[in-house]
Amino acid sequence: MSKTDNFIIILNWNEPEMTIKCLEKLLIYESINTILIVDNGSEDNKRKKLKRFLDDNMFIDLEQNNNEIYRERNKYKRLYLLLKENYGYAVGNNKALIKIKNMNPHNVIIMNNDIILNSNISKGLFEKIDNDKNIAFVGPKVILPSGDDSNPILKKDNFYYLFLFKIFYPILIPFKCFIENIDYNFSRYLNNNEMLSGCIFAVNFDKFEMINFFDKNTFLGSEELIINEKIKKYNLKNYYLSEQKVLHINSHSTRKVNKKKLMNNTFNAKKYYLKTYKKEKNFTIFLYYIANQIMNNIWIPIKRFIRKRR
């Protein structure tokens, strides 16, 4: 079977309304691709609401109909996968990627359920991947509801951002706009200090499999940083394609997660990344932990308090 089938994978966790809103646009602009919705162990009532929409729009269960779907690939373009528990971002997506492997996928878009399309973007993203063998991942322009650009982003994995900036936040924040100078206006290969946002990106399936997909040891956070380190071993690059544009209703699903749990998950992922991929020493990571606590428990609450008083 030739590798001509392109997939779009969307992870859902307890946000059927947002996923449905995302899908309503996706089904208009991206119907040529196979769309796979992965429910990451949502609560029963949330899952039922999403499944009603999927059933009404002729999605079928990948787990229960795997053999038939494989035999007639052109017939089944709307699929869903129901996971038994919340495996987090990395493992949840990995389970979907492993499931579609026997369908010989060509290219894949991984996107959050809070991405809203107003046009077809897959054609441009996939063409860029197919025409440039040096590229691993391609990401579009990502616009926030405020109108600000949020892709690409700075890696912020050095001593300045992980320690100094968080310790001396009130002093250094006025200089942020001068230091974080990213050009969002033209397409380009990303430099060593930049990375694509994990909210949406396209990748050739074989290249993704070559780096063993997402690192299964993270639950939430640092996926983009880890991917950057993985592709370095193969001299591959990330590419920002400014001509393609999406709207991102930022961090919609994580807003309902306990804030302390969310901060712990993201810091643990960052700690794993620093130890495993950057080979940081335990003492350095301890300093980063202290800085992180100061930022989360002092500077951010003060910032929120000031905003409320305005």
Side-chain angles (χ1 to χ4, degrees):
M1 186 184 296
S2 61
K3 284 181 172 285
T4 58
D5 202 1
N6 296 317
F7 281 75
I8 298 176
I9 297 175
I10 300 173
L11 203 64
N12 171 77
W13 180 70
N14 282 343
E15 284 289 343
E17 297 87 359
M18 192 71 250
T19 302
I20 290 169
K21 185 176 180 180
C22 170
L23 276 172
E24 286 171 343
K25 292 287 188 177
L26 203 66
L27 292 173
I28 295 171
Y29 298 116
E30 300 290 349
S31 59
I32 191 172
N33 300 300
T34 300
I35 300 171
L36 172 57
I37 305 303
V38 183
D39 185 79
N40 208 7
S42 294
E43 297 167 6
D44 286 345
N45 61 324
K46 302 288 187 180
R47 173 172 282 187
K48 286 177 182 177
K49 184 170 185 178
L50 175 62
K51 193 173 179 301
R52 277 198 301 270
F53 176 87
L54 297 176
D55 291 340
D56 290 345
N57 285 274
M58 301 177 67
F59 281 77
I60 67 169
D61 191 328
L62 175 57
E63 192 78 69
Q64 295 183 7
N65 302 278
N66 190 53
N67 292 332
E68 184 179 354
I69 292 167
Y70 180 72
R71 284 196 303 269
E72 299 189 52
R73 281 302 304 118
N74 293 328
K75 181 178 178 181
Y76 299 105
K77 292 286 188 178
R78 301 181 181 185
L79 311 173
Y80 65 83
L81 178 64
L82 305 178
L83 301 181
K84 294 180 181 180
E85 60 183 272
N86 183 4
Y87 291 97
Y89 178 89
V91 175
N93 277 305
N94 280 356
K95 285 183 175 293
L97 291 162
I98 292 167
K99 278 289 182 185
I100 67 172
K101 182 180 176 179
N102 67 347
M103 301 177 194
N104 289 319
H106 180 47
N107 295 318
V108 179
I109 289 177
I110 305 285
M111 60 183 276
N112 286 7
N113 67 332
D114 54 1
I115 293 289
I116 305 298
L117 273 60
N118 288 306
S119 64
N120 175 281
I121 63 161
S122 64
K123 185 175 185 293
L125 296 178
F126 291 153
E127 282 181 353
K128 190 64 188 177
I129 291 173
D130 290 340
N131 293 331
D132 191 334
K133 301 306 178 184
N134 294 316
I135 291 175
F137 297 87
V138 178
K141 180 184 281 284
V142 177
I143 307 297
L144 299 177
S146 64
D148 294 334
D149 291 286
S150 64
N151 197 35
I153 53 181
L154 292 178
K155 290 170 66 176
K156 298 184 179 180
D157 62 346
N158 54 38
F159 188 76
Y160 172 79
Y161 281 109
L162 294 175
F163 184 76
L164 294 177
F165 184 76
K166 293 180 178 181
I167 295 290
F168 302 108
Y169 178 77
I171 298 171
L172 295 176
I173 191 64
F175 302 99
K176 183 180 179 183
C177 61
F178 299 104
I179 297 171
E180 298 182 9
N181 186 21
I182 299 178
D183 196 327
Y184 300 102
N185 296 318
F186 70 96
S187 300
R188 67 187 192 281
Y189 294 109
L190 298 189
N191 63 44
N192 290 332
N193 296 317
E194 298 173 318
M195 62 184 181
L196 294 172
S197 169
C199 69
I200 179 169
F201 61 78
V203 61
N204 174 267
F205 186 89
D206 289 341
K207 288 179 181 175
F208 208 5
E209 185 181 22
M210 182 174 68
I211 66 170
N212 202 24
F213 303 129
F214 292 105
D215 191 312
K216 65 181 181 180
N217 294 294
T218 63
F219 186 85
L220 181 66
S222 296
E223 298 90 4
E224 304 98 328
L225 289 166
I226 292 173
I227 281 173
N228 261 0
E229 293 302 311
K230 283 186 170 188
I231 66 173
K232 283 181 183 178
K233 296 178 181 179
Y234 299 93
N235 295 316
L236 295 171
K237 299 178 180 179
N238 290 327
Y239 195 87
Y240 168 58
L241 194 62
S242 64
E243 292 85 356
Q244 306 298 326
K245 182 169 65 174
V246 301
L247 174 67
H248 185 203
I249 306 175
N250 197 23
S251 301
H252 197 273
S253 60
T254 57
R255 290 175 191 172
K256 294 191 175 184
V257 180
N258 177 276
K259 288 182 180 178
K260 186 175 180 180
K261 183 178 180 180
L262 178 62
M263 287 188 290
N264 285 337
N265 283 333
T266 53
F267 182 78
N268 286 336
K270 182 66 69 64
K271 180 174 139 181
Y272 171 78
Y273 160 74
L274 292 169
K275 288 188 74 170
T276 306
Y277 291 91
K278 303 300 286 186
K279 308 303 180 185
E280 293 279 12
K281 303 297 183 184
N282 287 334
F283 179 71
T284 306
I285 293 175
F286 174 73
L287 291 179
Y288 295 159
Y289 172 78
I290 296 299
N292 205 60
Q293 292 297 306
I294 290 172
M295 185 71 181
N296 290 332
N297 296 302
I298 297 177
W299 301 134
I300 289 180
I302 290 175
K303 184 179 178 181
R304 288 175 181 158
F305 176 77
I306 291 172
R307 281 182 177 174
K308 288 181 180 179
R309 293 293 295 254
R310 287 177 179 174

